[in-house]
């Protein structure tokens, strides 16, 4: 698993790595643009204007919302990713912080109409995911929603099949979200399957 320095080194080439993986329809980024595009459309259907993006990377999704006039907040632990994103979104409130430790104090009194986390929550194990999502829920407005897009599956058997088919690329350090594992904690969880290895959870 990459640490913040690893992501700093990867920052300049990150978008190209995603493009190559997506173009070949291969794990881990098959369906990447559709994941982001679907979340974007769902947010646009809401009435809210204040968004938090966790693990925003180079700001691909955040930039679209920022350009649409949303009050954009973001957390990322890579200083280089933040530097790249800040050049695209100079007025966004971007915070360098490791979300595996929860949320920074700067957000203690903030609520959001939408909270996004794309291709990042796999750094938490299942129990940590549940605790983190519950923490995020405390920062939603009454009609707010959480959108998590990632390498994601409906069932463990789907994950195992993808792992077998992608064993030459599989990252054993990443713990991908599976609907059947999250459902007991979040009975109203919605899952949108995008490709054989990607999907969106809505809380």
């Amino acid at each position: 698993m990459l640490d913040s320095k690893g992501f700093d080194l990867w920052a300049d080439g990150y978008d190209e790595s995603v493009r190559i993986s997506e173009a070949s329809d291969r794990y881990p980024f098959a369906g990447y643009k559709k994941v982001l595009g679907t979340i974007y459309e769902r947010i646009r259907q809401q009435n809210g204007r204040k968004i938090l993006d966790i693990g925003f990377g180079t700001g691909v999704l955040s930039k679209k919302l920022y350009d649409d006039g949303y009050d954009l907040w973001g957390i990322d632990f890579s200083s280089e990713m933040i530097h790249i994103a800040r050049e695209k979104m100079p007025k966004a409130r971007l915070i360098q912080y490791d979300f595996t430790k929860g949320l920074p104090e700067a957000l203690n009194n903030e609520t959001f109409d939408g909270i996004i986390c794309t291709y990042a929550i796999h750094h938490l194990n299942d129990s940590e995911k549940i605790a983190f999502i519950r923490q995020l829920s405390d920062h939603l407005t009454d009609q707010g929603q959480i959108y998590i897009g990632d390498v994601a599956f409906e069932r463990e058997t789907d994950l195992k099949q993808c792992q077998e088919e992608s064993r030459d690329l599989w990252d054993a350090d990443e713990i991908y979200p599976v609907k059947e594992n999250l459902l007991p904690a979040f009975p109203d969880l919605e899952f949108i399957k995008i490709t054989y290895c990607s999907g969106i959870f809505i809380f």
Side-chain angles (χ1 to χ4, degrees):
M1 185 181 296
L2 291 175
D3 58 12
S4 60
K5 291 182 179 178
F7 274 99
D8 286 347
L9 294 172
W10 193 21
D12 287 337
Y14 180 81
D15 291 342
E16 179 64 10
S17 297
V18 170
R19 188 194 67 76
I20 292 170
S21 177
E22 181 184 36
S24 60
D25 195 35
R26 298 198 70 189
Y27 160 91
F29 292 116
Y32 178 83
K33 285 182 182 176
K34 190 171 181 182
V35 168
L36 270 57
T38 301
I39 293 173
Y40 172 77
E41 291 299 332
R42 292 293 290 259
I43 289 174
R44 293 285 291 162
Q45 291 167 13
Q46 294 182 247
N47 294 322
R49 303 302 298 173
K50 187 176 178 183
I51 303 296
L52 172 64
D53 192 347
I54 297 166
F56 57 79
T58 57
V60 175
L61 176 54
S62 296
K63 177 68 161 60
K64 287 180 67 67
L65 294 166
Y66 177 86
D67 288 346
D68 288 342
Y70 283 82
D71 180 8
L72 203 292
W73 295 58
I75 301 169
D76 202 284
F77 75 164
S78 165
S79 59
E80 278 303 309
M81 294 285 195
I82 289 175
H83 175 72
I84 292 169
R86 187 164 281 135
E87 288 186 338
K88 300 176 184 178
M89 306 178 292
K91 295 182 180 178
R93 303 179 212 201
L94 306 179
I95 302 166
Q96 185 174 0
Y97 192 80
D98 182 357
F99 77 86
T100 64
K101 300 174 183 176
L103 293 175
E105 290 185 5
L107 300 184
N108 281 354
N109 298 315
E110 303 294 337
T111 57
F112 301 90
D113 303 304
I115 299 177
I116 305 164
C117 184
T118 55
Y119 294 88
I121 205 166
H122 53 246
H123 295 298
L124 303 178
N125 65 35
D126 283 351
S127 61
E128 290 169 339
K129 285 183 183 70
I130 290 168
F132 186 58
I133 292 165
R134 284 176 172 156
Q135 184 182 17
L136 295 181
S137 297
D138 293 337
H139 291 269
L140 287 176
T141 56
D142 289 343
Q143 302 301 316
Q145 290 186 307
I146 300 167
Y147 305 88
I148 294 175
D150 210 316
V151 176
F153 306 92
E154 191 158 5
R155 296 173 295 272
E156 278 287 338
T157 53
D158 301 329
L159 182 151
K160 296 296 184 186
Q161 182 177 347
C162 181
Q163 183 178 14
E164 179 62 24
E165 293 173 353
S166 310
R167 56 182 178 272
D168 57 325
L169 296 170
W170 194 260
D171 189 339
D173 289 332
E174 297 185 348
I175 306 164
Y176 301 117
V178 178
K179 180 181 178 181
E180 68 179 6
N181 296 339
L182 296 174
L183 205 55
F186 306 102
D188 297 327
L189 172 62
E190 179 183 354
F191 178 67
I192 303 172
K193 181 177 179 179
I194 301 296
T195 70
Y196 71 98
C197 71
S198 59
I200 299 164
F201 296 93
I202 302 176
F203 302 83

